[in-house]
Amino acid sequence: RARGGGGGGGVGVAPRRSAGPPSPCAGSPTAERKAPKATACSPIEPLGEGNIRIREVEVEVDQGAMGLSRRKSSNGEGTSAGAEAEAAEAGGSGRLFRRVGQATLFSIRAAASNVESMRDVPLKRRVQTLSVLTWLSGVALFPLLTIPICIYLIFATRLSLLVIAYITWFVFMDRSPKNGTRRRLFSRLGVWNHIRDYFPIRLVKTCDIEPNRSYVFGYHPHGVISMGALVNFASYATRFDEKFPGLNVHVLTLASNFMMPFLREWILWMGLCDASRQTCGNILRKGGGECILLAVGGAEESLDAHPGTYRLTLKNRKGFVRVALKAGASLVPVMSFGENELWTALPNPDGSKVRNFQESMKRLLKFTFPIIHGRGIFNYNFGLMPFRRPIHSVVGEPILIDSPCDVTTDEGRRRVDEVHALYISKLKELFETHKKKYNIESTIEIK
């Protein structure tokens, strides 16, 4: 083929056909319709610095169609039935060539659009996307790799004794997941600022909280992975330590996360602890601003993480109230607007096959997850990355508990019911007060 003239993106020239005997159908209207001239199509804009043109693809498509036409016309000795069959075959093949060509053109134009759009993305947004991708990949993939890595280090390297000693230490000796004694070295890392700005995530303070008490923060809704809870309370990216000085909040998560080598160190240095009653008591009894945060709805509520809905699993969840009353800790409701907007989940109404499967998984493995999709790394329509949608976590007014209470007595159980009803009332009031600020039209549903 001959390409366009040099410099400055000249117009491509259609290639010449090889010399040969003229087609019997040349010049006929039918042949002209089946083989349109290549010069009738105009090239698209060049991609990047090169002069990528579409003309050559279109010429190949037209040449394929014309070749079929020549083969049809050269077989003049066949019967009329054979000629008709061959004509039908040639027409179908010609349409196939055209469709392949159209698909190729569409792909090239789409690639051009993506390249141009990527060039317009500021560097800081790329860094934000990379930071979120790194965090989510670590949470999702790192647990699957730690066991094979440890097996390799034990059986294939000279580090076997060191790895065995490490595993023995954290399984039998390390009590930091139970008492929250690790320093929060990772809570101030700069990567959390990029993750915060990706969505963005904001922490909203409605009142002062005295640092001379212990508190149980209830986080609602759970969402898919409680991203707002991690950024606002497990890191200092949203200035929690400045807005609520003197408070040290430990986000509680599944105890199984602390049985994963290496990953456990990562989350421990962010202040996370396991979500057991023993851990709650150990931390809250310290007093003096030591706090815990629970996503009260848990895995059950994550199945209702659909955009535009606030369906909370809370009606029969009284364990966090018992923990607070037993330790004499005050309760703080937190409503996180936008937590359910980060992914789109597959519909799973109660009683559906999808919901039944997810419930069975929760009973068997003690955790479950919604079937979700979000955006991609280089596109905005489909993938597993969360959408860039804002999260506003509003911290409500504390429900003060002045003294511990024995929750096993009849009076204690009545006290639990009273505080639980008061908590739900305060949470609804918090939702109704602030939902208009964040363009929320739905209502809260307690189940």
Side-chain angles (χ1 to χ4, degrees):
R1 299 181 180 85
R3 295 188 179 274
V11 178
V13 180
R16 297 179 180 177
R17 297 187 177 88
S18 57
S23 172
C25 299
S28 65
T30 304
E32 291 179 0
R33 285 196 301 271
K34 289 187 178 180
K37 294 181 179 180
T39 56
C41 298
S42 60
I44 66 170
E45 293 295 327
L47 298 179
E49 297 179 357
N51 293 329
I52 300 176
R53 302 291 182 178
I54 308 302
R55 185 182 302 280
E56 296 178 2
V57 179
E58 296 177 342
V59 169
E60 291 179 358
V61 175
D62 295 338
Q63 285 181 340
M66 292 180 67
L68 293 172
S69 177
R70 291 194 188 97
R71 287 196 297 272
K72 172 187 172 184
S73 60
S74 62
N75 192 16
E77 298 179 356
T79 62
S80 60
E84 291 177 357
E86 188 173 353
E89 180 182 357
S93 300
R95 286 193 296 271
L96 177 62
F97 268 104
R98 292 189 183 94
R99 289 178 180 177
V100 172
Q102 291 171 358
T104 304
L105 296 179
F106 177 81
S107 300
I108 294 175
R109 291 190 179 102
S113 176
N114 286 338
V115 170
E116 293 298 329
S117 63
M118 287 173 59
R119 288 182 176 181
D120 296 335
V121 176
L123 178 61
K124 65 178 182 180
R125 289 177 66 88
R126 297 184 182 182
V127 174
Q128 293 166 7
T129 302
L130 177 61
S131 300
V132 174
L133 177 64
T134 302
W135 164 249
L136 294 179
S137 299
V139 172
L141 301 179
F142 198 62
L144 304 177
L145 300 177
T146 53
I147 303 299
I149 290 174
C150 287
I151 293 175
Y152 171 79
L153 293 176
I154 291 174
F155 293 101
T157 70
R158 298 180 179 180
L159 301 175
S160 57
L161 292 179
L162 182 61
V163 175
I164 292 173
Y166 167 64
I167 295 175
T168 303
W169 168 74
F170 78 69
V171 171
F172 298 104
M173 301 174 63
D174 184 26
R175 307 300 298 171
S176 54
K178 297 289 186 182
N179 52 34
T181 55
R182 286 288 185 95
R183 296 181 60 187
R184 301 180 60 169
L185 301 178
F186 285 5
S187 293
R188 298 187 184 277
L189 292 179
V191 67
W192 291 109
N193 296 330
H194 300 302
I195 296 175
R196 172 200 66 198
D197 295 336
Y198 173 91
F199 296 95
I201 297 175
R202 299 290 181 261
L203 180 65
V204 181
K205 175 182 177 181
T206 60
C207 65
D208 293 330
I209 298 180
E210 299 177 359
N212 58 348
R213 294 173 176 263
S214 295
Y215 298 92
V216 176
F217 286 78
Y219 186 85
H220 311 274
H222 182 284
V224 177
I225 59 172
S226 301
M227 183 63 73
L230 291 170
V231 175
N232 284 316
F233 298 93
S235 80
Y236 297 131
T238 54
R239 306 294 184 264
F240 179 89
D241 55 332
E242 297 177 6
K243 295 178 179 178
F244 302 100
L247 299 185
N248 182 26
V249 179
H250 298 273
V251 177
L252 304 190
T253 184
L254 295 174
S256 58
N257 290 326
F258 300 95
M259 300 303 294
M260 297 292 177
F262 311 119
L263 174 66
R264 68 187 304 276
E265 315 304 329
W266 180 359
I267 60 178
L268 280 171
W269 280 328
M270 293 174 60
L272 274 71
C273 296
D274 75 37
S276 65
R277 292 186 179 181
Q278 179 184 354
T279 302
C280 295
N282 291 340
I283 294 175
L284 294 175
R285 279 194 294 267
K286 295 179 182 179
E290 290 294 322
C291 314
I292 61 173
L293 181 140
L294 290 163
V296 179
E300 178 70 22
E301 192 173 277
S302 70
L303 300 181
D304 295 316
H306 298 282
T309 63
Y310 288 86
R311 193 181 186 195
L312 308 184
T313 304
L314 185 58
K315 183 179 294 186
N316 297 318
R317 296 290 175 104
K318 301 179 181 180
F320 72 106
V321 178
R322 295 189 187 97
V323 166
L325 290 176
K326 188 175 180 179
S330 300
L331 288 160
V332 182
V334 179
M335 177 56 66
S336 196
F337 297 95
E339 183 69 54
N340 285 346
E341 310 296 324
L342 304 186
W343 284 274
T344 299
L346 184 70
N348 57 344
D350 294 336
S352 64
K353 293 182 179 180
V354 175
R355 187 66 171 234
N356 292 337
F357 169 77
Q358 293 169 327
E359 295 284 357
S360 300
M361 179 180 177
K362 182 172 71 70
R363 287 192 296 268
L364 181 64
L365 303 177
K366 305 303 180 183
F367 73 91
T368 187
F369 55 86
I371 303 174
I372 58 171
H373 77 84
R375 53 159 289 179
I377 301 174
F378 301 112
N379 69 80
Y380 303 101
N381 300 320
F382 189 80
L384 293 179
M385 289 284 290
F387 293 109
R388 286 179 176 264
R389 293 170 181 170
I391 299 175
H392 296 88
S393 299
V394 182
V395 180
E397 183 179 355
I399 300 172
L400 299 180
I401 305 297
D402 294 326
S403 60
C405 174
D406 185 1
V407 297
T408 60
T409 64
D410 292 339
E411 182 181 355
R413 285 190 284 270
R414 285 195 297 269
R415 179 65 173 156
V416 168
D417 292 339
E418 292 173 0
V419 174
H420 182 259
L422 178 60
Y423 181 89
I424 293 178
S425 175
K426 291 290 186 181
L427 183 65
K428 288 182 176 179
E429 180 182 347
L430 186 67
F431 177 84
E432 295 297 332
T433 301
H434 294 274
K435 72 174 187 178
K436 292 183 179 180
K437 298 179 183 178
Y438 309 115
N439 300 320
I440 305 298
E441 298 181 355
S442 58
T443 58
I444 191 171
E445 178 184 354
I446 305 296
K447 70 167 192 172

